[in-house]
Amino acid sequence: MHMALALAQAAADAGETPVGCVIVDESTGNVISEGMNGPIGAHDPTAHAEIVAMRAAAEKLGNYRLTGLTLYVTLEPCAMCAGAISHARIGRVVWGADDAKGGAVIHGPRFFEQPTCHWRPKVEGGILAGEGGDLLRAFFRARRKGTAAQTAR
């Protein structure tokens, strides 16, 4: 999760929402891929950290099925990412901060609990949640200050 947090910081430094993701093969301890949020820079609404990391993992492994791998992400996945995680058949999802507004694992649609969900990974939240949450709060606080300063002009 520390690697994912470093990627989240890199995303923030690039002006993107600070979310980072790392995909690991727990049987070997090898990092398969990583990703950070990048919708703004990539001009791609699907360039969430999880999607970026899953695309890289699938390319590296030569298979769209990522069965048995663990996905670490700094923020609870949204519905789009949860759907992609299910299609990729990720074995385990570990996230940091919960997302009451946009999360889809333990909040909102609770995607993996739906009867139409074909693959359900093991899930675990709250890992280094404070660090991930602090990074997100600081990022949005700074953005609000910048917007308020621009509005005052």
Side-chain angles (χ1 to χ4, degrees):
M1 189 61 80
H2 289 288
M3 290 177 66
L5 284 166
L7 290 162
Q9 182 61 60
D13 294 344
E16 301 279 358
T17 301
V19 179
C21 181
V22 178
I23 296 178
V24 176
D25 181 341
E26 299 287 357
S27 68
T28 64
N30 292 332
V31 172
I32 303 300
S33 66
E34 56 186 40
M36 63 183 197
N37 258 20
I40 298 167
H43 309 291
D44 178 358
T46 69
H48 288 197
E50 301 95 309
I51 302 292
V52 172
M54 284 187 285
R55 285 177 178 158
E59 180 70 27
K60 181 175 183 176
L61 298 174
N63 193 339
Y64 73 106
R65 297 286 194 219
L66 304 176
T67 309
L69 301 180
T70 299
L71 183 146
Y72 292 89
V73 63
T74 58
L75 183 66
E76 178 184 352
C78 70
M80 174 184 70
C81 293
I85 287 165
S86 179
H87 283 284
R89 289 179 168 57
I90 293 281
R92 181 172 167 236
V93 176
V94 179
W95 70 89
D98 290 347
D99 186 356
K101 183 177 178 182
V105 180
I106 62 169
H107 293 95
R110 296 178 178 254
F111 186 87
F112 301 125
E113 295 176 20
Q114 298 306 311
T116 54
C117 179
H118 298 293
W119 177 264
R120 293 169 180 83
K122 294 176 185 169
V123 297
E124 180 180 358
I127 307 304
L128 298 179
E131 291 88 333
D134 289 347
L135 186 57
L136 284 157
R137 281 186 290 279
F139 176 80
F140 286 112
R141 189 176 314 116
R143 289 189 58 131
R144 283 190 299 275
K145 280 185 179 181
T147 302
Q150 289 175 351
T151 304
R153 289 182 192 172

